[in-house]
Amino acid sequence: MRLSLATPPPELTALLDSGRLWRGQQAPRIAAEASGHARLDALLPGGGWPKAALSEVLHPQPGTGELALVLPLLARLTQAEQHVAFVAPPLIPYAPGLAQGGVRLDYSLVVQTPNPAESLWSAEQLLRAGHAAVLVWADAASVQSLRRLQLAAEESGGMALLFRSLKRAAEPSPAALRLAVRREHGTPRVQVLKTRGQAGAGLRPVALGQ
Amino acid sequence: MLWLCLDFPALGREALGVEASVAVLGAHGSHRWLITEVAGGPAGKTLPAGLSLAEARSRSPELPTRPRQPEAEREQLEALAHALYRFGSPVVAEVLEPAEPFALPRWRVSVEIGASLSLFGGVEALREQVLLDLLDWHCAARLGIAPSRLAAGVLAEAGETTPCLRAEDLPTRLNPLPIGLLPWPAATRDALASVGLARLGALFAAPPETLRQRFGAEVPRDLERLLARRAEPYRAIEPPPVFAARFELHGEVDNVETLLFPLKRLTQRYAAYLSARAVTAMHCRLELRHDLGAPTVVPLQLLSPSRDAGRWFEILRERLYRQPPNRAVRELHLSATDFLPISGSQAALFDAHRLSRERQALLEKLIARYGEPNLWRPALRGDHRPERAWAATGLGQPVVSPPPLPPAATSPLLQRGDSSDALPPPPAGEGWGGGGLRKQSTTQGPPNRPPPSLPPPAGGGTHPRRRPLWLLRQAKPIAQPPAEGLPERIETGWWDGAPAHRDYHRVTLGERSGWVYRDLDDGRWYLQGLWE
């Protein structure tokens, strides 16, 4: 039995809009930033990268498509004058390519660190100092250090994006979102391995793009 | 005049940075004695200042000792004087001590506060602020306020914390105090005591002429100064035009932890100096001196001006952790020569206007930790050679748009207007390399002709041709890949000794999409970037 109101009374609308009403049937709203890839966003709760959370991007090797995956997000954040950071990227994030993708370079920072432990520490600090998104490459990361990163993201409201090898897919992770990027027929495709709440985990990979 | 005097009873020890259980020794001829009191003697007993070393050793055989260092005391006292500068002027720093065995030095800083009382909201508020400021210095201090410098010092030493604001109240306040509070030689004090003059009140009551004849001219003179009836000569502390401070270590130190205390001390002095001069700064220079060889120099540059001791300390500490000195350190020097006015300092910010304080402090810390080359912003450069079309810009450098491109033999950058460039790259194999890409014309002048001075193309810094997101540090030789699409030809650099004659392709390399080129000079293939 489902109750349906053609036009809900304005009081109810106001209450719903204020977000103070808890509705049993509805999954909790997850604050998210659209990834800029329509087919992926359709699979994600909240419709994108979860805010104030750790997300993991697993890929077989550098250059599989992981940067194309996050490029629209970086473009949107930096154009809104938010700071983003690349911590310990395996190759040089190439300024001309980033700029063509719409990334504002003066809001992008690269930090090179001596080891993964330092990378994770730096990422945590960068989040706490107010970077909107911190991309960190640290393949060997303990669950404990991931929790710290998750906590830093939660407390700062920023997004931690951790890039690791696809081999780590079997390892437990406190990340709110886990994505795998692979290439099929020369095109990067992304698969949702884990999300909070409902939705697209385990479905077949989707292509990047609008 | 109204003087605020701070008396620092343990400065002889604090200047050395040693613990309270260490005896700091004065020396005169063969005499050795404790110039400050020593805590934690046998059974927790305190050894009083003035005790001879022999007596102290008999009570505490294991007593660690250090000779006093008047130079270090003076520097520490001057730093404290700088810190007090904000409360008024003149500021006077003095060490009062008769040159005789068993003399106890008095370390004092006095500041004339009469003119600044209203600024700070009255004498009580000012006093509280001084004590608050002193908390950072971790030093023992007693404070006195009186119309003469000497009386302020006497009140401070006597623990008389209530300010004496009027000269006419001085006799009443000073009458009951012992004459030992005046910095007179032992002989004078003994002679006064032998005729029963033990309190200052008794001296005030005695005829000055008699005092002069029996005990010397300095006794009535000092009493007049004490009561603010005679001018007190002083040498005001003026911060020098450049900053230099040093800290001599007791023995050689080769671990960073042990260097942190002196470092904290030096950065605190630096901040006090900046405050005294009412300036701010963006750099300083730390020198670690060794017994042998050239000193280790640590230059430090901030992203924005700072007068905060804690910030300077944090960054220097990170630097030392990252690059510990490779030899034992004997002495630390901190110096600075360039300062900025506080008001104009905003103009010195490059990148900083967009940085929150917090973010900036973190970036400085990361720079100190990983080294300046390891923190950068990607930037565009006007060059057709892909490896030179970008730059790693340091954070202290202004973010500039790239200069106009130099003319190239081929001009792929002039091929503009392809609106599809604003979209993400279409997947390889789906028409990529069709309409958008075509072989560049190769109209080229004689190789040694200087570049023609044509006006550069408008917006020359942008790249209308698609560029990948990843670049390899160095192009890697690869086997010839299967050809896909038409190449983009880049022929340039013939005038600056790094010529490039290359045909670029986008090719699939296993799980990746590679940006490869064939070097037209050696005919070999190289991987230079990855697209996604």
Side-chain angles (χ1 to χ4, degrees):
Chain A
M1 183 67 199
R2 191 159 161 257
L3 189 69
S4 148
L5 289 171
T7 46
E11 296 89 343
L12 181 56
T13 317
L15 200 57
L16 290 174
D17 287 349
S18 77
R20 284 179 296 150
L21 185 71
W22 183 78
R23 299 164 81 190
Q25 285 186 349
Q26 201 180 50
R29 271 186 73 98
I30 291 181
E33 285 274 354
S35 75
H37 306 287
R39 269 164 287 187
L40 174 61
D41 286 344
L43 299 180
L44 299 178
W49 297 100
K51 280 180 167 176
L54 167 66
S55 297
E56 257 186 280
V57 178
L58 308 177
H59 52 99
Q61 52 182 326
T64 309
E66 69 281 7
L67 211 45
L69 171 64
V70 296
L71 191 66
L73 174 72
L74 299 181
R76 191 147 30 81
L77 290 175
T78 53
Q79 279 170 19
E81 309 204 330
Q82 305 239 48
H83 291 263
V84 302
F86 299 73
V87 181
L91 302 164
I92 298 166
Y94 191 43
L98 293 173
Q100 282 179 341
V103 177
R104 274 192 68 174
L105 300 175
D106 48 346
Y107 284 88
S108 311
L109 171 74
V110 179
V111 181
Q112 286 159 316
T113 65
N115 57 54
E118 286 288 324
S119 306
L120 292 164
W121 179 85
S122 298
E124 211 184 307
Q125 304 297 317
L126 288 161
L127 282 167
R128 292 191 186 281
H131 287 74
V134 176
L135 286 60
V136 52
W137 281 261
D139 191 43
S142 66
V143 173
Q144 200 194 354
S145 61
L146 298 189
R147 283 220 180 86
R148 290 181 59 92
L149 201 55
Q150 161 70 28
L151 190 68
E154 250 170 57
E155 291 176 356
S156 67
M159 282 177 274
L161 305 178
L162 174 64
F163 295 84
R164 302 167 83 197
S165 154
L166 201 51
K167 290 178 204 145
R168 306 283 174 185
E171 292 181 14
S173 162
L177 173 66
R178 298 186 96 192
L179 300 177
V181 180
R182 291 194 194 83
R183 264 187 125 72
E184 283 171 22
H185 314 297
T187 312
R189 288 178 171 272
V190 56
Q191 185 181 19
V192 181
L193 301 180
K194 173 194 172 187
T195 62
R196 269 182 193 160
Q198 91 278 47
L203 297 181
R204 44 178 317 270
V206 293
L208 298 182
Q210 301 285 323
Chain B
M1 282 199 148
L2 191 62
W3 289 90
L4 179 149
C5 176
L6 285 167
D7 178 79
F8 301 100
L11 191 120
R13 178 167 47 72
E14 288 158 356
L16 301 180
V18 294
E19 289 175 21
S21 57
V22 176
V24 180
L25 301 179
H28 193 272
S30 61
H31 298 285
R32 297 288 179 276
W33 70 98
L34 277 49
I35 59 163
T36 56
E37 120 187 336
V38 177
K45 270 196 173 166
T46 298
L47 303 175
L51 204 63
S52 75
L53 176 60
E55 176 63 23
R57 275 269 154 76
S58 74
R59 293 197 212 168
S60 174
E62 305 288 302
L63 185 68
T65 64
R66 295 273 301 273
R68 74 181 279 197
Q69 281 183 30
E71 187 65 9
E73 292 167 19
R74 192 189 54 76
E75 285 189 19
Q76 178 70 0
L77 204 60
E78 274 188 13
L80 285 161
H82 289 157
L84 282 175
Y85 228 81
R86 73 186 194 94
F87 295 104
S89 136
V91 179
V92 180
E94 54 200 341
V95 185
L96 305 174
E97 56 183 324
E100 61 186 18
F102 303 101
L104 294 183
R106 290 170 161 97
W107 296 278
R108 288 179 182 168
V109 175
S110 311
V111 52
E112 210 282 308
I113 56 170
S116 29
L117 283 183
S118 56
L119 179 67
F120 284 89
V123 71
E124 269 312 308
L126 184 142
R127 196 171 144 258
E128 247 169 56
Q129 193 56 54
V130 169
L131 293 174
L132 270 179
D133 277 21
L134 278 179
L135 285 183
D136 293 338
W137 292 79
H138 302 287
C139 58
R142 303 180 287 207
L143 186 153
I145 295 174
S148 79
R149 208 166 78 244
L150 193 54
V154 165
L155 289 180
E157 194 178 328
E160 293 275 338
T161 52
T162 314
C164 176
L165 300 178
R166 299 183 308 166
E168 51 267 42
D169 294 339
L170 273 173
T172 326
R173 294 293 305 276
L174 297 170
N175 277 343
L177 300 178
I179 59 163
L181 291 170
L182 286 172
W184 287 333
T188 310
R189 280 181 283 130
D190 291 347
L192 289 166
S194 68
V195 295
L197 295 170
R199 307 270 151 198
L200 290 174
L203 285 184
F204 297 147
E209 189 51 26
T210 317
L211 291 176
R212 192 184 63 79
Q213 280 166 4
R214 292 195 53 183
F215 307 106
E218 64 173 358
V219 171
R221 184 200 64 196
D222 284 357
L223 291 177
E224 283 187 7
R225 285 182 179 163
L226 188 62
L227 294 172
R229 290 169 189 164
R230 188 188 180 110
E232 297 173 283
Y234 59 79
R235 198 176 61 84
I237 292 275
E238 294 284 350
V242 296
F243 173 77
R246 66 190 191 107
F247 194 99
E248 196 177 327
L249 295 158
H250 182 56
E252 291 188 296
V253 167
D254 54 9
N255 75 75
V256 172
E257 294 294 332
T258 318
L259 294 176
L260 295 185
F261 173 79
L263 198 61
K264 187 152 216 158
R265 182 65 70 78
L266 292 177
T267 49
Q268 194 170 31
R269 287 187 190 170
Y270 188 31
Y273 170 86
L274 293 171
S275 152
R277 280 202 53 194
V279 291
T280 181
M282 282 179 78
H283 30 96
C284 69
R285 177 187 146 103
L286 178 70
E287 253 185 64
L288 306 172
R289 300 204 175 161
H290 315 286
D291 265 345
L292 287 173
T296 307
V297 177
V298 183
L300 192 70
Q301 168 87 44
L302 295 188
L303 298 176
S304 71
S306 176
R307 316 162 69 192
D308 178 1
R311 188 162 155 208
W312 291 104
F313 171 72
E314 283 259 308
I315 292 160
L316 283 168
R317 181 180 62 183
E318 290 294 338
R319 274 295 282 270
L320 289 186
Y321 275 133
R322 186 175 67 86
Q323 284 178 328
N326 53 13
R327 278 168 296 153
V329 178
R330 191 65 219 223
E331 217 176 275
L332 291 91
H333 280 241
L334 189 69
S335 58
T337 50
D338 295 329
F339 309 102
L340 302 159
I342 289 167
S343 54
S345 60
Q346 292 305 316
L349 310 187
F350 294 125
D351 201 20
H353 62 283
R354 283 191 309 270
L355 296 181
S356 74
R357 257 185 112 80
E358 210 179 330
R359 187 177 298 123
Q360 199 170 303
L362 172 66
L363 297 184
E364 281 163 359
K365 196 162 151 186
L366 294 180
I367 289 175
R369 202 170 168 112
Y370 304 131
E372 216 160 338
N374 288 315
L375 256 84
W376 45 274
R377 296 193 191 287
L380 298 174
R381 273 183 64 196
D383 199 304
H384 302 286
R385 285 158 289 194
E387 64 275 21
R388 296 189 186 203
W390 75 287
T393 320
L395 299 186
Q397 296 161 29
V399 179
V400 290
S401 38
L405 279 171
T410 65
S411 45
L413 296 173
L414 290 172
Q415 314 267 328
R416 299 183 55 96
D418 184 352
S419 62
S420 71
D421 286 334
L423 299 171
E430 290 180 26
W432 176 260
L437 277 180
R438 58 184 184 81
K439 198 166 177 176
Q440 299 298 320
S441 63
T442 56
T443 50
Q444 188 183 341
N448 50 5
R449 195 185 72 185
S453 56
L454 291 169
T462 58
H463 290 255
R465 309 312 298 254
R466 291 226 59 88
R467 290 291 177 255
L469 295 173
W470 291 116
L471 191 76
L472 270 62
R473 279 182 196 289
Q474 191 150 25
K476 194 172 102 182
I478 53 165
Q480 179 172 357
E484 287 173 41
L486 290 169
E488 173 191 356
R489 173 159 295 180
I490 292 180
E491 287 193 298
T492 186
W494 44 269
W495 62 84
D496 69 359
H501 308 111
R502 305 167 184 168
D503 274 350
Y504 277 84
H505 298 259
R506 176 179 184 138
V507 300
T508 298
L509 299 169
E511 287 249 46
R512 316 197 275 191
S513 176
W515 197 39
V516 304
Y517 68 84
R518 191 166 75 89
D519 187 315
L520 300 178
D521 292 326
D522 67 10
R524 279 192 279 203
W525 288 83
Y526 296 86
L527 173 66
Q528 191 166 22
L530 294 165
W531 283 91
E532 296 159 331

